[in-house]
Amino acid sequence: MSLDDQKSSASNTSTHTTGLIMLALSAICILLALKIFKGRKRDVLVLIALGLAVAAFYVLANPQSTEKHYEKDNVENAYGEVSLRIDCSVVFDHWEELDETLKDGDYWPKDGIILERSEYSIEEGDTAFDVLLDAVTQNKIHIDYQGGDANIYNTVYIEGIQYLYEFSCGKLSGWTYAVNGSFPDVGCSSYVLSDGDFVEWMYTYDLGRDVGNLFEGEGE
Amino acid sequence: MKFFSNLHPIVLFVHFVSVMGMVMFTMNPLLIGMAFLSSVVFALSSEGFAAIKKTFIYAGCFIVIVTVTNPLFTSNGVTELFFVFGRAFTLEALYYGAAAGFMLASVFIWCRAYSAVITSDKFLYLFGKPFPKLSLVLSMSLRFIPLFARKMKAVSDVQKTMGLYSKESLTDRFFSGARIFSSVLTWSLENAVDTSNSMKARGYGFPARSSFSMFRFTQRDGVMLTLIVCLAGTAYMGIINGSLDFYYYPAVLPFVKTHFTIYSILSSGVVLFLPSAMETVEKALWNFYTSKI
């Protein structure tokens, strides 16, 4: 029976709550099938399909409590160490252009360094995005990003760090990154890091010009 | 008993436009709450619960879907409830989703309630002369959904009488509904062409043509129009000068800031609850007079 399959797949999943919810779901499915849809095969099939879809969504979504999300997990196959720093000091130079809603809260340290330079272990093939995600998770810093499947560049786009979003401080503002002082031409999830790299995430007011990313033919 | 809907079409239309604007141009939770409540009260008082039950069910589903979906797409907000797809599911995003859901639901219910008040003859009376083509298209599209529902009911009734699709199975009924839907859609396209042709044949859009119904702009209409314009103007000034601004991200901020906030909230409340209040007063008066007979 496919309903039993649903139950057995539930016991395989990792978390306790997942199992409980899936058990309840299949119990509801069985009850409904027995009571309401007596002698209506197609309805039962559709219901099972719906139940499986919900279960699949649940497994894909992988809900985690906040505490569990911020638990430190150890890097197993350490390949090297990279250092990372997050800097939004530009905001304090253009305070008058900042969104009203961000002015009231005390969201960033006064020097604009959201995350001091520190070392993080990486595995082979880790990208600039992986190490950023590691760092913000370890330090309980808020992050919002657009997944690589959601845009035409197939690379992750960092929308906001610590409630500071793109366009929060003027029309040309947003997050940009530099590795060892130079600005890569690819998105952060396409840049593979090597041992000893220094990744710097910077908030820019002027499409990167103010933090040192000059376009060809500009400046020196 | 139908005090509000007996007002001059221009008054009704101005009220409609100001309510829609008020609901759509702000995310202030108090204003959205009032808009939703007033839409429900107005729909109940003008059409009764039985006629509007389905609209409420759809609106409720809509609110739930929009509320739950928003936090899946944005993780802004200081209160992280839990994590899905590796991103934060925040309370603020949930609030914003709820506000958006209630806003859309109230627009939906207001439009539904207005379709019973601003009928197509009133609409053509208002805009038939200056914009004949546009107003015909608009009145046809306003009429489209109720007409479509009626036609679908008729077709499915006939099919049932012929013994088709009368099975108990929900899935079968769903697929038969889909088939009827597609055939009625084809019919409605043809019907739209027929309607415009027959309107043309009757001389629609010809300058000397008179309206089907005539409405006189009385003193009462003038008073109501002035009241609505003044109150709605106050509310819009509040929206434009920012005293109704409300922030959800990254933390929810309190909304009463200036005296003007209170004025514009109050005046928008009066505009929103005006139709249902007028109906209630009229009903009370009617009961009072009949009790004397």
Side-chain angles (χ1 to χ4, degrees), chain B residues 155-270:
Chain B
V155 173
S156 84
D157 281 352
V158 169
Q159 301 252 315
K160 265 183 209 157
T161 321
M162 295 195 309
L164 294 165
Y165 307 130
S166 53
K167 276 189 196 142
E168 270 201 318
S169 164
L170 273 179
T171 323
D172 281 352
R173 270 196 280 170
F174 176 78
F175 282 117
S176 73
R179 194 181 285 197
I180 293 170
F181 183 85
S182 93
S183 65
V184 174
L185 200 64
T186 320
W187 167 84
S188 72
L189 291 175
E190 202 183 319
N191 183 55
V193 178
D194 280 350
T195 310
S196 61
N197 276 343
S198 77
M199 288 299 273
K200 203 175 183 182
R202 284 162 211 201
Y204 177 77
F206 183 61
R209 187 176 172 275
S210 61
S211 279
F212 171 70
S213 346
M214 293 309 292
F215 301 95
R216 259 187 341 143
F217 194 85
T218 59
Q219 202 178 9
R220 189 184 66 176
D221 295 318
V223 171
M224 294 310 296
L225 187 63
T226 324
L227 185 72
I228 290 167
V229 166
C230 290
L231 290 173
T234 316
Y236 278 114
M237 272 169 72
I239 291 172
I240 291 164
N241 72 15
S243 38
L244 283 178
D245 278 2
F246 190 85
Y247 300 117
Y248 291 86
Y249 302 126
V252 173
L253 288 183
F255 53 88
V256 175
K257 289 183 217 148
T258 56
H259 288 296
F260 206 81
T261 311
I262 301 165
Y263 296 147
S264 41
I265 290 265
L266 279 179
S267 54
S268 60
V270 173

Side-chain angles (χ1 to χ4, degrees), chain A residues 42-43 61 64 70 101 145, chain B residues 83 85 87 170-172 249:
Chain A
R42 214 185 266 184
D43 282 0
Q64 281 181 319
Y70 285 127
T101 151
Y145 56 89
Chain B
F83 281 76
F85 298 109
R87 291 148 51 113
L170 273 179
T171 323
D172 281 352
Y249 302 126

Side-chain angles (χ1 to χ4, degrees), chain B residues 103-119:
Chain B
M103 181 178 86
L104 291 167
S106 47
V107 168
F108 186 53
I109 299 173
W110 267 115
C111 282
R112 174 75 174 74
Y114 265 116
S115 70
V117 174
I118 306 183
T119 48

